[in-house]
Amino acid sequence: MKITECPRDAWQGFHPFIPTVRKAAYINELLKVGFDTIDFGSFVSAKAMPQVSDTALLLDQLDLSGSKTKLLAIVANERGALEASGFKQITYLGYPFSISETFQLRNTNASIEASVERVKGIAEIAANRGKEVVIYISMGFGNPYDDAWEPGIVMEWVEKLAKLGIKIFSLSDTVGMAKTDDISSLFSELIPAYPHLEFGAHFHTIPDEWRSKIEAAYQAGCRRFDGALLGYGGCPMAQDDLVGNMPTEQLIAFAREMSDPDQLNMDALQLARSMFLQLVQK
């Protein structure tokens, strides 16, 4: 089971600004844990997301020596992709592709069709710079805007984007509204239909629904999961303080229940957890 730790998603909506040196110290501790990937920052508008405006500066302070963990940065357009691709430390460029027209406009200031063109450009940049693209299917399990949604729409967009060279998709429960039947159905259809692609789950959840979501995805064949320590953060659009990221602690516990082996450094994990609590104490 691959676990992506997401400090970027945890603190992107947090105020006040966390000093870069403290973020770097925290991420350096996360790099010792043994996660598959760390979603560490974003190359997006500093005005829109001031907390991640120091992403480029962070990279100069990260120590990846001795770590097999890969870095992922979120980009919202070709400009961001070009900037992110200039850093050899970054493996993945993540792009939030919402299948809700309303949310896509709010999140990236582009329509769905315009986002297809952006994905084309980002995929080309990534291919030329030796990077991989991860497409986050935002609102992948429904939306609160009454925009059309059904599993077939997800399947349709995966097929279209795969033709652009995308090989990794993460289905995102952006506002924590995914039903277990939909989770099971989607992964059960997608994974056998596209064996050459990798599918992950980026769940936002209320505290008492974490297990049912992980279990539904895992039993349907998903082995790539995103989380954040303590379940902190989540989508600023959720408008619900109870909806946060999937707690990484629960992902680890679940993986061990399933006898899914890991080689995590639990001492480093506990220290990182303590460091994060200090970061977000106001």
Side-chain angles (χ1 to χ4, degrees):
M1 191 165 135
K2 295 181 180 179
I3 297 178
T4 296
E5 175 63 24
C6 302
R8 183 274 315 169
D9 203 4
W11 61 42
Q12 66 181 0
F14 179 79
H15 303 286
F17 185 79
I18 301 169
T20 305
V21 66
R22 296 187 67 195
K23 289 177 186 165
Y26 173 60
I27 296 174
N28 277 328
E29 196 62 35
L30 291 177
L31 286 166
K32 300 174 185 177
V33 176
F35 293 115
D36 181 79
T37 303
I38 294 176
D39 175 355
F40 82 104
S42 302
F43 289 86
V44 297
S45 165
K47 183 177 180 180
M49 289 288 182
Q51 190 64 259
V52 294
S53 61
D54 59 347
T55 294
L57 297 175
L58 267 176
L59 285 161
D60 291 334
Q61 300 181 39
L62 298 185
D63 180 8
L64 280 81
S65 61
S67 177
K68 295 182 179 178
T69 300
K70 299 175 282 291
L71 295 182
L72 180 149
I74 297 295
V75 302
N77 49 39
E78 293 93 328
R79 180 203 59 77
L82 280 169
E83 187 177 359
S85 294
F87 295 93
K88 63 181 181 180
Q89 302 99 311
I90 295 174
T91 298
Y92 298 118
L93 308 182
Y95 181 78
F97 186 95
S98 179
I99 56 175
S100 157
E101 185 77 21
T102 303
F103 189 73
Q104 190 64 30
L105 287 166
R106 291 186 181 192
N107 201 34
T108 63
N109 197 30
S111 67
I112 292 177
E113 288 303 324
S115 290
V116 173
E117 294 304 310
R118 287 187 179 181
V119 172
K120 286 181 182 177
I122 291 168
E124 183 176 346
I125 291 166
N128 290 337
R129 302 291 183 89
K131 309 298 183 186
E132 293 186 67
V133 178
V134 178
I135 292 292
Y136 289 89
I137 303 291
S138 301
M139 300 291 174
F141 299 93
N143 63 81
Y145 311 116
D146 294 323
D147 291 340
W149 180 87
E150 61 178 359
I153 293 174
V154 181
M155 299 280 287
E156 177 185 348
W157 281 112
V158 166
E159 185 161 342
K160 286 182 178 179
L161 297 175
K163 290 178 180 177
L164 301 179
I166 308 302
K167 296 180 180 178
I168 306 173
F169 293 85
S170 188
L171 305 187
S172 299
D173 183 17
T174 314
V175 288
M177 63 188 298
K179 298 178 176 62
T180 54
D181 287 348
D182 290 333
I183 294 170
S184 179
S185 174
L186 268 175
F187 284 110
S188 294
E189 291 184 49
L190 284 166
I191 292 171
Y194 302 100
H196 59 295
L197 303 179
E198 182 176 6
F199 292 97
H202 183 102
F203 291 132
H204 293 170
T205 185
I206 58 176
D208 62 353
E209 292 183 356
W210 70 266
R211 184 181 183 86
S212 61
K213 292 183 178 184
I214 298 174
E215 198 165 46
Y218 189 90
Q219 290 179 352
C222 179
R223 294 295 184 272
R224 181 187 180 105
F225 290 87
D226 290 4
L229 289 178
L230 302 166
Y232 202 89
C235 179
M237 303 296 292
Q239 299 179 339
D240 186 341
D241 290 339
L242 291 177
V243 176
N245 278 295
M246 177 63 66
T248 303
E249 296 90 335
Q250 307 291 24
L251 284 173
I252 294 169
F254 181 85
R256 291 181 172 178
E257 281 183 39
M258 298 297 106
S259 299
D260 202 318
D262 66 60
Q263 296 180 337
L264 300 182
N265 181 333
M266 297 306 292
D267 290 336
L269 181 71
Q270 291 306 317
L271 178 55
R273 195 172 185 271
S274 297
M275 292 173 70
F276 183 74
L277 284 170
Q278 294 174 15
L279 286 179
V280 296
Q281 287 177 345
K282 293 185 179 181

